[in-house]
Amino acid sequence: MSSPTPAEILARIGKLEIRTKNLVNEIFSGEYRSSFKGQGLEFAEVREYQAGDNYRDIDWNVSARLGAPYVKKYTETRELNVFFIVDVSASMQFGTVQPKKQERVAEIIALLSFSALSNNDKVGLIMFSDQLEKYLPARKGSNKALEILRDVLYLEPEHKNTSILEALTFANHILKKRSVVFILSDFMDSGYNKPLEILAQKHDVIAIQILDEAELKLPDAGVLNLYDPETGDTLYCNTSVTSIQKAYEARVSKQQEDLTKDLAKMKVDYIMLRSMDSHIKALRTFFEQRRRRLREGR
């Protein structure tokens, strides 16, 4: 297949931008804003004490100078750094239906990045296989979002394998300011719990798992030649054998159960998207759950 021309790349990204910005304007801007806290408080002004004010906020120096109690008032610093840590290993190219996993990742990032930019937040990108493939520091502006989308859709990774551990180790090294971090992967990897735990202690981390239906349940399609795009290994398997179907589903179920438990233990939010799921519905549900938790102070 020939590589897309610059004009074709611009046209594809332009269509995605228009579609996404309409969704952000209609739905997601307010939901995004109310789902994430600012990164702290900064001093705004002092004013005279009023009934109900917290005595801990009294500015004793100003109060002594003016002869009446005055309190300090603070405003939330709204600006956020939003980072996308994106798996571009060979398994993310897989898909039995449209959109494939890589395209689904682009759609999700488009919604989240334009929602962030509509709230004056910065967006950045870390792309990984079993090594760092691309790093874009957090910046403002729609051009930054378009650059991220171009890389997610068209970057040709140098390696095929996966190392979430390497990606998270890099993120822990370079992310100094508290950030909102979205990790987009099929999470077909292991050994990354420690750096993920460290990342979640310092940042607001959300894991978004993208899976094809065929990765969750073997299709009843007779003998198939199964190919691992990362290792190049092949295996002939009779997918119509009930015992093989059940063994495969039991293994996948255990992996998913372990992942869910591990993420909950580390206080990492989790969204699982299958090929037939609506990412728009999943993100709206996620934002609603976040808002509810914030209201309840959890």
Side-chain angles (χ1 to χ4, degrees):
M1 181 182 294
S2 60
S3 299
T5 65
E8 289 170 338
I9 292 173
L10 288 174
R12 183 181 182 188
I13 294 176
K15 289 179 182 178
L16 182 57
E17 178 187 14
I18 292 170
R19 185 167 69 248
T20 301
K21 282 188 172 180
N22 288 337
L23 282 169
V24 170
N25 292 335
E26 294 170 7
I27 302 173
F28 282 97
S29 181
E31 295 198 1
Y32 167 91
R33 181 179 180 85
S34 61
S35 298
F36 297 103
K37 293 181 178 179
Q39 297 306 292
L41 299 174
E42 60 182 17
F43 174 76
E45 62 179 351
V46 293
R47 64 161 173 77
E48 196 165 356
Y49 180 88
Q50 298 175 359
D53 285 339
N54 192 327
Y55 72 90
R56 295 186 180 89
D57 293 333
I58 293 176
D59 188 322
W60 296 106
N61 290 331
V62 173
S63 299
R65 191 163 62 248
L66 298 179
Y70 277 75
V71 295
K72 297 177 181 178
K73 300 302 293 180
Y74 298 87
T75 58
E76 182 182 65
T77 54
R78 173 62 228 175
E79 182 180 287
L80 301 172
N81 275 1
V82 178
F83 266 90
F84 302 105
I85 301 180
V86 181
D87 183 351
V88 292
S89 63
S91 66
M92 292 299 291
Q93 305 294 326
F94 178 73
T96 58
V97 297
Q98 295 293 340
K100 294 186 177 181
K101 292 195 288 186
Q102 180 194 36
E103 295 164 336
R104 177 60 60 89
V105 167
E107 292 172 342
I108 294 167
I109 289 178
L111 272 173
L112 292 172
S113 60
F114 283 115
S115 294
L117 292 171
S118 73
N119 284 279
N120 207 36
D121 294 337
K122 298 177 181 179
V123 292
L125 176 69
I126 296 170
M127 303 178 76
F128 71 95
S129 54
D130 60 356
Q131 66 174 21
L132 177 68
E133 296 282 352
K134 188 71 176 278
Y135 166 56
L136 296 175
R139 297 285 187 271
K140 293 182 181 179
S142 60
N143 285 343
K144 173 58 65 173
L146 297 178
E147 183 179 3
I148 287 173
L149 291 178
R150 182 200 64 197
D151 286 335
V152 169
L153 286 170
Y154 293 107
L155 181 77
E156 292 288 343
E158 294 184 9
H159 288 226
K160 293 182 177 181
N161 294 336
T162 309
S163 177
I164 298 176
L165 183 149
E166 290 294 329
L168 299 181
T169 300
F170 176 78
N172 279 321
H173 178 69
I174 59 101
L175 297 183
K176 304 302 182 184
K177 178 182 176 182
R178 180 172 172 81
S179 304
V180 176
V181 180
F182 292 93
I183 305 170
L184 297 102
S185 173
D186 51 25
F187 288 89
M188 293 184 180
D189 195 19
S190 60
Y192 55 82
N193 279 15
K194 187 59 179 178
L196 179 55
E197 183 178 9
I198 293 171
L199 191 73
Q201 289 171 353
K202 299 177 181 178
H203 305 281
D204 187 354
V205 181
I206 301 97
I208 303 181
Q209 185 184 29
I210 297 95
L211 293 173
D212 189 88
E213 292 289 346
E215 293 169 324
L216 292 166
K217 183 178 181 179
L218 280 179
D220 187 353
V223 177
L224 294 179
N225 184 9
L226 304 179
Y227 170 73
D228 187 327
E230 296 192 7
T231 66
D233 294 339
T234 60
L235 171 69
Y236 283 95
C237 176
N238 188 346
T239 60
S240 297
V241 175
T242 302
S243 60
I244 293 178
Q245 292 176 353
K246 289 183 177 179
Y248 181 86
E249 290 173 28
R251 181 182 177 187
V252 171
S253 179
K254 180 65 166 58
Q255 291 172 337
Q256 290 299 111
E257 181 182 341
D258 290 344
L259 176 64
T260 302
K261 287 181 179 178
D262 288 343
L263 294 176
K265 184 177 180 180
M266 290 182 276
K267 294 183 170 28
V268 173
D269 281 343
Y270 172 52
I271 303 171
M272 197 269 270
L273 276 172
R274 293 167 296 193
S275 52
M276 302 304 293
D277 292 339
S278 164
H279 64 283
I280 296 172
K281 182 178 180 180
L283 288 174
R284 293 196 71 176
T285 300
F286 163 72
F287 285 143
E288 175 56 36
Q289 292 171 344
R290 293 273 307 201
R291 289 202 308 274
R292 189 180 305 122
R293 287 211 312 268
L294 289 173
R295 286 196 300 266
E296 296 171 356
R298 294 188 286 125

